[in-house]
């Protein structure tokens, strides 16, 4: 049943979600187990720290107003449904956040229909999406931030090292940011599964089973 699955996902901790995020990164094979743990910890810390800064500065200001004050443009779009990848929101530098209205509404309906609101601590899906994207704006505008500076050595010739960042670092941090900003007790990564449900239950269950494997360490 869906309730049991949600209970299970709520109890997955941040490190386990971090391992899940890594598993989806194209460069995952370049990172040792030890470094992976360190990165997950630091990325989560980074996201949380940035959220605390925003909370201290804006107190109870609703997130849409925060975006306005920061100078971020917020637009809603109807997704055309042709993409193979379901998009919920995205950030475009320098200052635009797009939320795909229809997708967001389908998840909200799904939560309502299945009476998952209280389990999900009455989360506002839109605020969660906006918070996540706000983090990407913050990291884009701070070249000293951890998420933009952790680099992996892909190969080296003599003294020359070719390095690259990892996509999952910013994602882990953005989720930690949203979690802290919205003051919820579970990792918003559970929306990876939740958002799939209204589209394709089989795929959602498949992803759920994959995530089950991350509980309790690898
Ligand atoms: Zn993101």
């Amino acid at each position: 049943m869906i309730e049991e699955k949600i209970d299970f996902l709520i109890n997955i901790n941040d490190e386990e979600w971090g391992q899940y995020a890594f598993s989806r990164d194209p460069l995952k094979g370049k990172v040792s187990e030890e470094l992976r743990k360190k990165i997950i910890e630091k990325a989560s810390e980074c996201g949380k720290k940035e959220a605390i800064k925003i909370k201290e500065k804006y107190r109870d200001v609703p997130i849409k107003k925060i975006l306005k004050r920061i100078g971020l443009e917020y637009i809603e779009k109807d997704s055309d449904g042709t993409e193979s990848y379901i998009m919920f929101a995205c950030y475009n530098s320098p200052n635009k956040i797009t939320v795909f209205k229809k997708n967001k509404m389908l998840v909200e309906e799904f939560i309502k229909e299945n009476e998952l609101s209280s389990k999900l601590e009455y989360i506002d899906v839109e605020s969660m999406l906006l918070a996540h994207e706000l983090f990407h704006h913050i990291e884009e505008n701070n070249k000293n931030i951890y998420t933009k500076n952790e680099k992996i050595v892909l190969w080296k010739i003599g003294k020359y090292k070719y390095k690259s960042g990892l996509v999952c670092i910013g994602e882990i941090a953005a989720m930690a940011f949203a979690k802290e900003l919205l003051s919820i007790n579970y990792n918003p990564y559970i929306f990876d599964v939740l958002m799939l449900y209204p589209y394709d239950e089989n795929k959602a269950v498949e992803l759920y089973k994959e995530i089950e494997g991350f509980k309790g360490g690898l």
Side-chain angles (χ1 to χ4, degrees):
M1 286 308 285
I2 182 76
E3 291 91 348
E4 285 157 31
K5 288 191 174 68
I6 299 301
D7 282 338
F8 183 86
L9 293 171
I10 281 172
N11 283 306
I12 294 180
N13 66 33
D14 294 343
E15 204 223 311
E16 291 156 350
W17 280 118
Q19 295 288 353
Y20 157 74
F22 256 103
S23 75
R24 318 213 114 205
D25 197 293
L27 297 176
K28 63 182 177 210
K30 300 283 178 189
V31 189
S32 71
E33 187 72 23
E34 203 188 332
L35 182 57
R36 212 183 263 215
K37 273 196 166 167
K38 197 191 95 191
I39 289 175
I40 293 169
E41 217 169 275
K42 284 196 165 177
S44 305
E45 227 171 75
C46 168
K48 190 176 171 181
K49 210 174 80 190
E50 293 301 323
I52 291 169
K53 277 193 217 164
I54 294 283
K55 273 180 166 177
E56 281 173 354
K57 189 164 177 192
Y58 295 97
R59 304 278 162 191
D60 295 328
V61 178
I63 185 138
K64 277 190 189 170
K65 280 205 174 138
I66 297 177
L67 300 184
K68 220 173 185 178
R69 289 197 196 167
I70 290 174
L72 266 162
E73 191 191 337
Y74 161 66
I75 56 170
E76 282 188 330
K77 259 191 197 168
D78 272 322
S79 21
D80 58 13
T82 54
E83 316 113 21
S84 56
Y85 176 76
I86 310 163
M87 285 268 274
F88 287 89
C90 65
Y91 167 70
N92 295 99
S93 190
N95 66 342
K96 196 166 85 185
I97 291 177
T98 308
V99 169
F100 296 92
K101 216 164 90 188
K102 197 183 136 210
N103 296 348
K104 182 201 77 182
M105 276 164 53
L106 282 173
V107 182
E108 286 169 344
E109 275 166 29
F110 180 80
I111 291 173
K112 227 174 157 185
E113 277 167 19
N114 291 281
E115 294 172 9
L116 300 170
S117 305
S118 74
K119 277 191 196 303
L120 297 170
E121 299 173 25
Y122 303 97
I123 192 171
D124 176 53
V125 179
E126 185 173 53
S127 300
M128 189 273 295
L129 294 170
L130 293 177
H132 179 109
E133 302 307 331
L134 171 57
F135 179 80
H136 288 317
H137 177 72
I138 290 170
E139 61 172 352
E140 198 67 29
N141 288 284
N142 179 359
K143 61 181 192 317
N144 296 318
I145 199 164
Y146 170 72
T147 53
K148 293 287 184 194
N149 288 283
E150 182 69 79
K151 303 267 195 245
I152 304 302
V153 179
L154 294 184
W155 44 265
K156 51 183 173 183
I157 302 174
K159 277 183 183 159
Y160 182 74
K161 287 178 182 168
Y162 183 77
K163 293 179 176 183
S164 166
L166 290 171
V167 181
C168 73
I169 300 179
E171 293 313 310
I172 294 168
M175 290 302 189
F177 178 87
K179 180 182 177 183
E180 178 65 34
L181 197 68
L182 271 59
S183 306
I184 50 173
N185 294 301
Y186 58 90
N187 194 304
Y189 256 119
I190 85 167
F191 278 88
D192 270 23
V193 179
L194 268 177
M195 287 172 162
L196 255 184
Y197 258 100
Y199 286 91
D200 189 333
E201 193 178 335
N202 290 332
K203 270 196 185 151
V205 172
E206 217 172 274
L207 180 62
Y208 171 82
K209 283 183 179 153
E210 189 190 321
I211 293 168
E212 261 185 329
F214 292 98
K215 182 81 194 143
L218 294 171

